[in-house]
Amino acid sequence: VSDASGCSMIALLHTGAARFPQNFFSRLRQAVSLLFPAGVFKGFSSIVSRKLASHGFGASMAAMSSFPPQRYHYFLVLDFEATCDKPQIHPQEIIEFPILKLNGRTMEIESTFHMYVQPVVHPQLTPFCTELTGIIQGMVDGQPSLQQVLERVDEWMAKEGLLDPSVKSIFVTCGDWDLKVMLPGQCQYLGLPVADYFKQWINLKKAYSFAMGSWPKNGLLDMNKGLNLQHIGRPHSGIDDCKNIANIMKTLAHRGFIFKQTSKPF
């Protein structure tokens, strides 16, 4: 530590924090307490805490050292809800568009994108759809079209730094339906382009089966049960499903699982 501001130590922490042993900070605190009077150390400790927090350290330090590094800087957890009925209506249209930005080092949620979408081919939701998803007519009436929502997704991706070529991110879905069938199918129907970042993803069902050795026939419910996790929120709520996916991913990562792309290149 070169001076009371702690600047040299903060630079060191910022560049190499993930490599320090778990008891490093407690040993550092003991050593510094021998060098400085109590009042000075308290001020130094406060500065260090603020600096750490500003760089995204702090409570996440223990989590970072408890599981191996992932291949991606960020995981983008996505789960669509769409118009539906029995028998199924065609075409189906996305009515809920949620994304959670998951930090690949800490496996914590850093940002959320969540919008409802107005369907145009079948603007009136069926009773079956509302019962299944919990989405009522008033939640989609007057909402942006899919084209407008996709534009806002792109703006959010740019704001979050996810379009930077040096930042590695990938979408994560519970199954292949969202990005292999639903989004490209609706975009084709409406004559809209599909952004390249939607063309590769991780199917959580496949990842779970690789990690646990069994296929989750009932999706999130089986995965939560297999990992002894409580189900979050309401089944078939897009944003709640995303939270469950993120929780399952965090649990698997803490067990040492490294997530890899499962989709085939388009």
Side-chain angles (χ1 to χ4, degrees), residues 79-95:
D79 190 272
F80 295 138
E81 298 303 326
T83 54
C84 54
D85 201 2
K86 282 191 174 182
Q88 188 60 273
I89 57 176
H90 297 283
Q92 284 188 274
E93 300 171 85
I94 295 168
I95 54 175

Side-chain angles (χ1 to χ4, degrees), residues 7-28:
C7 291
S8 297
M9 179 56 69
I10 293 304
L12 177 62
L13 291 172
H14 184 58
T15 57
R19 297 192 295 270
F20 290 123
Q22 230 169 348
N23 64 345
F24 173 81
F25 292 100
S26 62
R27 287 160 52 195
L28 173 65

